[in-house]
Amino acid sequence: MILIKNENSYTEMMKSLAHSRRNRKDENLLQMYIQMVIDDSLFKRKKEILETEINNALDTGDQQTFYKLADKYADLMKSTT
């Protein structure tokens, strides 16, 4: 009596490998998308805070603070290009 082991064929193994690679690729894309969303949210929040602080410095006539914040704002805007 000959016993046949229940092993996957080469084709089945290759399909499984392709599927696992696709899953990893999908996970990487999802992680990249999540990071982009986080980065965009942080950028918008930093920009909003700086704009508010710049407006406050203008309202109070604080030139030194205005120039310091304006430089930070310019650096932030450069970081997006």
Side-chain angles (χ1 to χ4, degrees), residues 50-68:
L50 280 173
E51 288 172 347
T52 301
E53 290 177 346
I54 288 170
N55 287 336
N56 288 340
L58 286 171
D59 290 344
T60 60
D62 187 351
Q63 263 189 332
Q64 185 177 4
T65 301
F66 168 77
Y67 286 121
K68 184 175 82 173

Side-chain angles (χ1 to χ4, degrees), residues 5-29:
K5 291 183 178 180
N6 187 10
E7 294 183 15
N8 291 337
S9 69
Y10 177 76
T11 305
E12 290 171 342
M13 287 189 309
M14 295 311 297
K15 285 180 185 177
S16 176
L17 180 60
H19 181 68
S20 67
R21 284 182 181 164
R22 193 174 2 194
N23 283 346
R24 277 183 279 176
K25 193 175 189 180
D26 290 346
E27 286 176 14
N28 289 340
L29 287 173

